[in-house]
Structure formats: structure tokens, C-alpha cells
Amino acid sequence: MTMAGGSTARRAEGAARDAHNSTWMDRAARAGLVAYAVVYLMIGWLAIQLAFGDREGKPSSSGAMHELAQQPFGDVLIWVVSLGMFLLVLWKLLDAAFGHREEQDTSKRTRARVTSAAKAVIYAAIGLSGLRVATHSGSSGKGGKTWTASLMDVTGGQLLVALVGLAVMAYGGYQVYKAWTGDFADKLDAEGRSGSTGTAYLAFGRAGYTARGVAFLIVGGLIVYGAATHDASKSGGLDQALFKVLDQPFGPVLLCLLGAGLACYGLFTLARARHLGK
């Protein structure tokens, strides 16, 4: 019984490894990246609209889904994009379990796999927000208790929220670091990095990673501020961070630049879908 169970587990693991390296998984990942690019292009567009005074849209992943739903064939678009996000979840879960085997350093391989698992969670959250929009089951969120408010109600919760905020800020800083060191370039294959087209792709990536980094730094800063003041309403997601940018001196100009940068990340992700590297 034990031997049979072990044999079944080995066959299942072998099948999962084969799936991770399969042609269909490669195609699924590329399709998912197209969906992810669409989300970022919509976020960038909503941010630019906000910069020009249109406050109806919500420049976030859920806001992007709502905006897609208002387009022609919007329901179909939402289902397609949501499916794409769940394909990315599958890709990153397999990556977390079996990927990064070329990394000889065990600690670096572990970090890379943990990062893949974290990305799977993010993609799943975006996909679920799309499903809520598609099935009209989501609420506006007004009057609901945020995760920061819930966490601050428990013992030591204020410190935990602050630590989450610092982690988000660290991630944002790392995104800016990647932008200016070009550490993102290996996400494209050699063809995607070559010639004038490759130069344009890398420029999109540099602008996109910088914009994402700045956005995450602001989001993390809001979370830390909310923890420090014990006021969950002070913290928020991407949309609230972009509204904060708008309220600063030269806010519309800064927000327009940030929105363009987020759209550039979408364009880089489209290039990645075509020239998938690491």
C-alpha cells in the first residue's frame, strides 16, 4: 500500500514536471501574460484619465476589470482576461514547485521559488476580481472592513501592518533597482533584446518597472502611515496611492507620467509574451 502510494506520488510529480516544461504550458504562460498586459494598459489609461480630471474610474486591477466590462463584448473580455490570469497562476505554481533548477545556489533558488508562489497569489487575486465583475457578485467595498483594519484589531496587529507596509516598500524599491540596472532584461529572449525593436522593448521595461516601483513605494508608505497612526483609512491600494499623487504639487503631471509608465509596463509584458525569457 505504501509502495503503491509512493509510486503514484512519483508519477504525479513526474507529470507535473513534464507539464512545467511542456509546449502547452509555454503557450499558456504567453496567453496569461497578454491578459496581464491588458490589465496594466487599462490601469495606465485610468491613471491618465484621472490626471485629466476624470474621477469615475478606479486606477487599480479591479478598476481595470470594471473598465473592460464597459467595453463592447465586455463580459467576454472579462472572462478571457480572468482565464489568462489563472493560467499565470498555474504557471507560477509549477515554477514554485519545479522551476529555477538552473540556479545552483540553494538559497537563491528557494527565494526565486517563493517569489513565484507570491506572484501566483497576486495573479489569483486579479483573476478573482475579474470573476466577481463578470458574475456581478462583487461589492463596491464601501462600508466593508479592510484587511488593515481587521489586522490592527488583533494583538500586535499594528506592528504586523507596519511590517507589511515596509515589505511592500522594499518590493517597490527593488522594482526601481531592477529598472535602472536592467535586471529585468532577461525576461525577454535574445531576439527580444536585439535591434531597434529590442531597444524599444527595454525602454518600455525601464519606464514600466520604474513606475511600478514608485507606485509600490507609495502604497507601502500609506500602509506604514496607517499603522503608525492606527488609522486603517490612511492606508490603501494602488488607486488610493495614485489619488495621493494627484493631490501633490504638479500632481496631474506626475500622475500622467506615472500612468504612462504603468502602461509601458503593459507594453513590456506584451513584448515578453512574444519573446518569453526567464
Side-chain angles (χ1 to χ4, degrees), residues 15 21 25 28 38 69 77 105 109 113 115 120 125 142 157 161 164 166 170 178 185 193 210 219 235 252:
N21 298 314
M25 191 69 255
V38 169
L77 284 173
D105 188 309
R109 183 167 60 249
R113 288 182 171 180
T115 299
K142 294 179 181 178
V161 170
V164 170
L166 290 172
K178 288 177 72 172
R193 300 192 299 268
T210 300
V219 170
S235 62

Short mmCIF file of all heavy atoms in Angstrom, two decimals, residues 15 21 25 28 38 69 77 105 109 113 115 120 125 142 157 161 164 166 170 178 185 193 210 219 235 252:
data_model
loop_
_atom_site.label_atom_id
_atom_site.label_comp_id
_atom_site.label_asym_id
_atom_site.label_seq_id
_atom_site.Cartn_x
_atom_site.Cartn_y
_atom_site.Cartn_z
N ALA A 15 4.55 13.91 -13.81
CA ALA A 15 3.60 14.54 -14.73
C ALA A 15 3.61 16.05 -14.56
O ALA A 15 3.54 16.80 -15.54
CB ALA A 15 2.19 13.99 -14.49
N ASN A 21 7.46 21.92 -18.16
CA ASN A 21 8.38 22.10 -19.28
C ASN A 21 7.72 21.89 -20.63
O ASN A 21 8.41 21.84 -21.65
CB ASN A 21 9.57 21.14 -19.14
CG ASN A 21 10.38 21.39 -17.88
OD1 ASN A 21 10.69 22.54 -17.58
ND2 ASN A 21 10.71 20.34 -17.15
N MET A 25 2.30 24.54 -21.75
CA MET A 25 2.47 25.44 -20.62
C MET A 25 3.13 26.74 -21.06
O MET A 25 2.78 27.83 -20.58
CB MET A 25 3.32 24.77 -19.53
CG MET A 25 3.33 25.53 -18.20
SD MET A 25 1.73 25.50 -17.34
CE MET A 25 1.12 27.16 -17.63
N ALA A 28 0.41 28.68 -22.63
CA ALA A 28 -0.50 29.18 -21.59
C ALA A 28 0.10 30.39 -20.88
O ALA A 28 -0.60 31.37 -20.60
CB ALA A 28 -0.80 28.07 -20.59
N VAL A 38 -2.94 43.52 -20.63
CA VAL A 38 -4.19 44.26 -20.81
C VAL A 38 -4.58 44.96 -19.51
O VAL A 38 -5.00 46.13 -19.50
CB VAL A 38 -5.33 43.32 -21.27
CG1 VAL A 38 -6.68 44.02 -21.20
CG2 VAL A 38 -5.06 42.85 -22.70
N ALA A 69 -15.25 45.74 -18.56
CA ALA A 69 -16.64 45.28 -18.62
C ALA A 69 -17.53 46.27 -19.37
O ALA A 69 -18.58 45.89 -19.91
CB ALA A 69 -17.18 45.06 -17.21
N LEU A 77 -14.61 39.79 -22.66
CA LEU A 77 -13.25 40.25 -22.35
C LEU A 77 -12.87 39.91 -20.91
O LEU A 77 -11.75 39.45 -20.65
CB LEU A 77 -13.15 41.77 -22.56
CG LEU A 77 -13.07 42.27 -24.00
CD1 LEU A 77 -13.15 43.79 -24.03
CD2 LEU A 77 -11.78 41.80 -24.66
N ASP A 105 22.83 27.97 -6.52
CA ASP A 105 22.78 28.38 -5.12
C ASP A 105 21.41 28.03 -4.54
O ASP A 105 20.38 28.52 -5.00
CB ASP A 105 23.03 29.89 -5.02
CG ASP A 105 23.18 30.36 -3.57
OD1 ASP A 105 22.31 30.03 -2.75
OD2 ASP A 105 24.16 31.06 -3.29
N ARG A 109 17.75 29.78 -5.21
CA ARG A 109 16.68 29.00 -5.84
C ARG A 109 15.42 29.03 -4.96
O ARG A 109 14.31 29.17 -5.47
CB ARG A 109 17.14 27.56 -6.07
CG ARG A 109 16.08 26.71 -6.80
CD ARG A 109 16.66 25.40 -7.30
NE ARG A 109 17.18 24.58 -6.24
CZ ARG A 109 18.48 24.31 -6.05
NH1 ARG A 109 19.39 24.82 -6.86
NH2 ARG A 109 18.87 23.53 -5.06
N ARG A 113 11.75 30.59 -5.94
CA ARG A 113 10.52 29.80 -5.89
C ARG A 113 9.47 30.45 -4.99
O ARG A 113 8.28 30.42 -5.30
CB ARG A 113 10.84 28.38 -5.42
CG ARG A 113 11.58 27.55 -6.47
CD ARG A 113 11.86 26.14 -6.03
NE ARG A 113 12.37 25.33 -7.14
CZ ARG A 113 12.70 24.06 -7.07
NH1 ARG A 113 12.58 23.43 -5.90
NH2 ARG A 113 13.13 23.40 -8.13
N THR A 115 9.24 33.66 -4.56
CA THR A 115 8.76 34.79 -5.36
C THR A 115 7.72 34.32 -6.36
O THR A 115 6.69 34.99 -6.57
CB THR A 115 9.93 35.46 -6.10
OG1 THR A 115 10.87 35.96 -5.14
CG2 THR A 115 9.44 36.61 -6.97
N ALA A 120 1.95 34.02 -7.91
CA ALA A 120 0.74 33.23 -8.14
C ALA A 120 -0.42 33.77 -7.33
O ALA A 120 -1.56 33.84 -7.81
CB ALA A 120 0.99 31.76 -7.80
N ALA A 125 -5.49 36.86 -7.20
CA ALA A 125 -6.32 37.95 -6.71
C ALA A 125 -6.91 38.76 -7.87
O ALA A 125 -8.09 39.13 -7.85
CB ALA A 125 -5.50 38.86 -5.79
N LYS A 142 -17.63 49.65 -0.10
CA LYS A 142 -17.97 50.70 0.83
C LYS A 142 -18.58 50.09 2.08
O LYS A 142 -19.50 49.28 2.02
CB LYS A 142 -18.95 51.70 0.18
CG LYS A 142 -18.33 52.47 -0.98
CD LYS A 142 -19.31 53.43 -1.61
CE LYS A 142 -18.70 54.18 -2.78
NZ LYS A 142 -19.64 55.09 -3.45
N GLY A 157 -1.21 43.60 15.93
CA GLY A 157 -1.61 43.82 14.55
C GLY A 157 -1.02 45.08 13.95
O GLY A 157 -0.68 45.12 12.77
N VAL A 161 0.98 45.17 10.44
CA VAL A 161 0.61 46.03 9.30
C VAL A 161 1.80 46.86 8.87
O VAL A 161 2.07 47.01 7.67
CB VAL A 161 -0.59 46.93 9.67
CG1 VAL A 161 -0.83 47.98 8.58
CG2 VAL A 161 -1.85 46.09 9.86
N VAL A 164 4.16 44.71 6.91
CA VAL A 164 3.65 44.50 5.55
C VAL A 164 3.95 45.72 4.69
O VAL A 164 4.42 45.61 3.56
CB VAL A 164 2.13 44.21 5.57
CG1 VAL A 164 1.57 44.23 4.15
CG2 VAL A 164 1.86 42.86 6.22
N LEU A 166 6.32 47.95 5.09
CA LEU A 166 7.75 48.02 4.81
C LEU A 166 8.16 47.01 3.74
O LEU A 166 9.01 47.30 2.89
CB LEU A 166 8.54 47.77 6.10
CG LEU A 166 8.47 48.89 7.16
CD1 LEU A 166 9.14 48.44 8.45
CD2 LEU A 166 9.12 50.16 6.63
N ALA A 170 9.85 47.81 0.25
CA ALA A 170 11.09 47.15 -0.17
C ALA A 170 10.93 46.57 -1.57
O ALA A 170 11.85 46.67 -2.41
CB ALA A 170 11.46 46.05 0.82
N LYS A 178 15.71 47.26 -10.27
CA LYS A 178 15.73 46.44 -11.48
C LYS A 178 15.64 47.31 -12.73
O LYS A 178 16.29 47.02 -13.74
CB LYS A 178 14.56 45.44 -11.46
CG LYS A 178 14.74 44.31 -10.47
CD LYS A 178 13.54 43.39 -10.43
CE LYS A 178 13.44 42.54 -11.65
NZ LYS A 178 12.39 41.51 -11.55
N ALA A 185 15.93 42.59 -18.01
CA ALA A 185 16.10 42.31 -19.44
C ALA A 185 16.03 40.82 -19.77
O ALA A 185 15.59 40.44 -20.86
CB ALA A 185 17.42 42.90 -19.94
N ARG A 193 15.69 41.20 -27.16
CA ARG A 193 16.60 42.23 -26.66
C ARG A 193 17.47 42.83 -27.76
O ARG A 193 18.27 43.73 -27.48
CB ARG A 193 17.51 41.65 -25.57
CG ARG A 193 16.78 41.11 -24.36
CD ARG A 193 17.75 40.84 -23.21
NE ARG A 193 18.76 39.86 -23.55
CZ ARG A 193 18.65 38.56 -23.32
NH1 ARG A 193 17.54 38.08 -22.77
NH2 ARG A 193 19.61 37.72 -23.63
N THR A 210 10.11 51.26 -13.33
CA THR A 210 10.25 52.45 -12.51
C THR A 210 8.89 52.89 -11.98
O THR A 210 8.73 53.17 -10.78
CB THR A 210 10.88 53.60 -13.32
OG1 THR A 210 12.17 53.21 -13.78
CG2 THR A 210 11.03 54.85 -12.46
N VAL A 219 2.24 52.96 -2.08
CA VAL A 219 1.28 52.06 -1.41
C VAL A 219 1.84 51.60 -0.07
O VAL A 219 1.15 51.64 0.96
CB VAL A 219 0.96 50.85 -2.31
CG1 VAL A 219 0.15 49.81 -1.53
CG2 VAL A 219 0.18 51.29 -3.54
N SER A 235 -4.37 54.04 4.98
CA SER A 235 -3.70 53.12 4.06
C SER A 235 -4.62 52.84 2.88
O SER A 235 -5.79 53.22 2.87
CB SER A 235 -3.34 51.82 4.77
OG SER A 235 -4.49 51.16 5.23
N PRO A 252 -1.22 66.45 -11.39
CA PRO A 252 -1.69 65.92 -12.67
C PRO A 252 -0.56 65.51 -13.60
O PRO A 252 -0.64 64.49 -14.27
CB PRO A 252 -2.51 67.07 -13.25
CG PRO A 252 -3.00 67.82 -12.05
CD PRO A 252 -1.86 67.75 -11.07
#
